[in-house]
Amino acid sequence: QDLTELFLDKYLSNRSFYLLDSNSQSTDVDNPDQRISEDVNYFTKVTLDFLLDVLDSILNLISFSAILWSTSQTLTGALAIYALVGTYIAVFLGGRLVGLNYQQLRLQADFRYSLVYIRDNAEAIAFYGGEKREQGEVTGKLDAALRNYDSL
């Protein structure tokens, strides 16, 4: 809650909401309202899960290393080297997934925003017969999100 309120305070101060408007050409931030509501939740959930996993792994490492060390010191050394190499490979290969996951969140937010845009502008779209154009926009955003999801 505190993190969301902090972001809301920053978003509504100094006319930031106006400068980050989706109609503005000079912004690199897309859908700031959805990012505040969803990305803060995602960030806190992932961070908490990560910290709990790290704590669990450290406790398991300490307890099982002591048991393994008393059984075989050579095997303990070999397994430590194996774990370090495996960790390096996972970090090297997993680094690409961070960017793809960020891209997925952005593409999903774009898709949701396009649906909100249709709802907010339903009268104008119906009056000017823009259904096909809007359907093409929404379908394109959905296709982009699904292509990126397949890359994950």
Side-chain angles (χ1 to χ4, degrees):
Q1 178 181 351
D2 292 336
L3 188 58
T4 302
E5 289 175 2
L6 174 69
F7 274 90
L8 280 173
D9 182 51
K10 298 287 185 185
Y11 182 59
L12 295 173
S13 65
N14 299 323
R15 297 188 179 176
S16 298
F17 65 93
Y18 180 72
L19 297 173
L20 294 174
D21 181 29
S22 62
N23 296 324
S24 176
Q25 298 297 324
S26 61
T27 183
D28 291 331
V29 179
D30 56 336
N31 307 321
D33 50 347
Q34 290 178 343
R35 290 201 174 270
I36 289 171
S37 67
E38 294 176 10
D39 289 358
V40 169
N41 180 41
Y42 177 78
F43 172 77
T44 54
K45 180 186 177 305
V46 168
T47 302
L48 180 61
D49 287 346
F50 176 73
L51 290 175
L52 291 175
D53 285 345
V54 167
L55 180 62
D56 182 55
S57 297
I58 289 171
L59 291 175
N60 282 332
L61 177 67
I62 292 170
S63 61
F64 288 115
S65 293
I67 295 168
L68 188 59
W69 183 263
S70 66
T71 305
S72 172
Q73 296 171 356
T74 306
L75 183 59
T76 304
L79 289 176
I81 292 171
Y82 174 77
L84 289 173
V85 169
T87 301
Y88 174 77
I89 291 171
V91 167
F92 178 73
L93 295 177
R96 181 173 173 258
L97 291 176
V98 172
L100 285 173
N101 195 32
Y102 174 79
Q103 181 74 357
Q104 185 66 24
L105 289 173
R106 188 182 68 77
L107 291 170
Q108 287 174 343
D110 286 346
F111 172 68
R112 284 188 302 275
Y113 179 77
S114 65
L115 293 173
V116 170
Y117 177 83
I118 290 173
R119 184 183 67 217
D120 289 345
N121 297 289
E123 186 176 349
I125 293 168
F127 182 75
Y128 291 110
E131 294 89 350
K132 292 285 187 200
R133 181 178 184 280
E134 293 302 324
Q135 184 175 6
E137 290 285 326
V138 172
T139 303
K141 291 179 191 239
L142 176 63
D143 290 343
L146 291 174
R147 276 194 309 275
N148 189 71
Y149 182 77
D150 288 342
S151 298
L152 287 172

